[in-house]
Structures are given as C-alpha cells and as structure tokens.
C-alpha cells in the first residue's frame, strides 16, 4: 500500500509510516537506482527481511521527495560501520533514523539536529527480558503499572524497550548499556503520550522527551527529534 502517514514533527523534520503489504518484487520498482541498492542488499536475507529492508528505503525516498525533491532520486540510503543509516549524496546536513518490525516501517528525516525512531511488534519477549534492560526503579514502576491494570503487560514492556531503542539511536554511539545509561522517568501509560528520559554519556546526563503512540493494534511507536538550538 502507499505511504500510511506523514507527520511534520517540526519545520525541519518529518516522520513517515509505511504499512508493509508488498513483496520484494513489488518494492524494487519503487526505488530509484535499483541496481545500486541491489549491491547494498544484505546477503542471506529471507523474503520478509528483504521486504522490510526495501520498505525502509522506499519510505525514506518518499520523505526525501517531500523535503529534498531535487536530490531525492540521486541520494542513496547507506549504512555506516555501526549499522546506522545515512544519506549518501545529501551533504552533511540531513540525518535519518529508520526502524521496522513485522509489517510496519517507520522513518524520520530531519534537516538538522538528531533523531531516533523505533517501531515494535508487541510481544512478551520484552516482559521476559525486563530485568536485563530496565533499572530497578523502572522495573518497579512497570510492575506497579501492570498490577494496577493501567496497561497490558506485554504492551507496556514493549513500549519501554522501544523508548530505550529510540534513546539509543538518539545517542548515536555504540556500546551503550541500556540498564544504566538509557533511563526512563515516570509516566502515566496512555494510547499516546510522552516519556521523560535521561541519557548518561561520557559522565554527563542530558534530558530528553520520547513521544509514543500505537500506530496499529499490536504495535508501539516511539520517536524523538531534537533540532539544533
């Protein structure tokens, strides 16, 4: 299906969602420079992962056509040696963040600042692994919220994991310890809202705000864009 939604987060940043229903064969014609992308396609990917990989690049090119129409067809979405996506041919300004899970793809294209986005299929895996990525106070707050019936446990823990993934992408660094360096403050779970967050990096603490929503039943979305001051 075509672009599901497009949301301007600021005058310089746009968030796009794509509901992935296409096969890889249907996605290839939607990309500019398909030969170049064929060379970049990760080896040994099955059809589902190929569709997610292609869908992410199709979505970013749709966002590029909205924001950089003169360059959109000439830009290639590549990955650096840490796995983060970047735009070859776009110059030093724009930044991107990309995520996919199940049948959904999410992307942010920002002309300045930094950005992070994550979409997650709701599963019980995050609940099972909560002690590995949540600080003690975060885990206690999550357990209290579940016991009070404020949110389905699988949904709540998937949201917490997604929020930390977005904060991790915002940090733009490898080797981050989710449990001690990506910290989430208290919030009242709703269908959409904001989560206060703290990034502990290089001996400094910085404050951030992670937005969240449920784009479709069974999925959570988190994102953050911080333009330059």
């Amino acid at each position: 299906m075509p672009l599901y939604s497009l949301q301007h987060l600021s005058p310089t940043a746009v968030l796009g969602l794509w509901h992935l229903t296409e096969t890889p064969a249907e996605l290839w014609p939607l990309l500019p420079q398909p030969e170049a992308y064929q060379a970049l396609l990760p080896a040994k990917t099955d059809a589902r992962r190929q569709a997610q990989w292609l869908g992410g690049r199709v979505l970013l090119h749709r966002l590029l056509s909205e924001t950089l129409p003169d360059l959109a067809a000439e830009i290639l979405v590549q990955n650096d040696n840490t796995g983060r996506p970047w735009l070859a041919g776009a110059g030093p300004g724009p930044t991107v963040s990309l995520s996919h899970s199940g049948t959904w793809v999410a992307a942010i294209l920002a002309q300045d600042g930094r950005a992070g986005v994550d979409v997650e299929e709701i599963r019980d895996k995050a609940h099972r692994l909560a002690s590995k990525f949540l600080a003690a106070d975060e885990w206690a707050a999550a357990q209290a919220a579940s016991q009070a019936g404020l949110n389905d446990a699988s949904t709540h823990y998937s949201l917490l994991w997604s929020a930390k993934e977005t904060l991790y992408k915002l940090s733009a660094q490898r080797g981050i310890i989710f449990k001690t360096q990506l910290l989430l403050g208290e919030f009242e779970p709703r269908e959409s809202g904001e989560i206060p967050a703290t990034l502990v990096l290089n001996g400094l603490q910085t404050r951030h705000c992670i937005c969240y929503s449920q784009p479709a039943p069974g999925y959570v979305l988190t994102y953050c864009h911080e333009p330059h001051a």
Side-chain angles (χ1 to χ4, degrees):
M1 66 177 295
L3 182 69
Y4 178 80
S5 68
L6 187 151
Q7 177 185 354
H8 287 275
L9 304 179
S10 75
T12 60
V14 61
L15 165 68
L17 287 174
W18 189 284
H19 188 201
L20 190 60
T21 59
E22 301 86 351
T23 64
E26 292 169 324
L27 289 165
W28 277 113
L30 303 180
L31 279 175
Q33 306 184 62
E35 298 84 2
Y37 277 112
Q38 185 69 55
L40 296 173
L41 180 68
K44 299 180 179 179
T45 54
D46 57 25
R48 184 175 74 89
R49 291 188 177 275
Q50 281 190 30
Q52 291 174 334
W53 188 89
L54 291 166
R57 281 136 189 85
V58 169
L59 174 56
L60 278 173
H61 275 284
R62 289 295 299 271
L63 300 186
L64 284 165
S65 68
E66 294 283 337
T67 57
L68 297 170
D70 295 337
L71 296 176
E74 302 173 13
I75 291 172
L76 278 180
V77 182
Q78 299 196 23
N79 294 86
D80 64 18
N81 56 9
T82 69
R84 291 191 299 270
W86 64 286
L87 302 177
T95 183
V96 296
S97 185
L98 182 62
S99 178
H100 53 70
S101 181
T103 60
W104 286 89
V105 180
I108 291 178
L109 171 62
Q111 298 302 310
D112 69 339
R114 55 183 180 173
V117 66
D118 185 72
V119 62
E120 293 287 340
E121 187 172 5
I122 294 171
R123 297 178 295 174
D124 64 355
K125 182 179 179 180
H127 192 179
R128 296 198 312 269
L129 298 178
S131 64
K132 297 184 181 298
F133 71 89
L134 291 180
D137 58 338
E138 295 170 338
W139 197 9
Q143 290 174 311
S146 295
Q147 292 169 359
L150 297 177
N151 211 339
D152 169 74
S154 294
T155 300
H156 192 66
Y157 286 95
S158 295
L159 172 60
L160 297 177
W161 170 259
S162 182
K164 292 207 172 192
E165 276 284 334
T166 286
L167 190 58
Y168 169 67
K169 293 178 180 180
L170 203 69
S171 75
Q173 290 199 26
R174 287 290 199 184
I176 297 290
I177 301 173
F178 278 40
K179 192 170 183 176
T180 59
Q181 291 182 264
L182 308 177
L183 305 177
L184 304 178
E186 293 186 11
F187 69 103
E188 184 177 341
R190 298 187 177 95
E191 288 189 7
S192 63
E194 298 177 347
I195 303 174
T198 301
L199 174 62
V200 182
L201 200 60
N202 302 322
L204 300 175
Q205 294 187 5
T206 54
R207 307 295 183 183
H208 308 272
C209 181
I210 308 298
C211 300
Y212 70 90
S213 64
Q214 290 186 244
Y219 289 85
V220 293
L221 171 74
T222 61
Y223 59 90
C224 180
H225 169 240
E226 296 178 343
H228 292 311

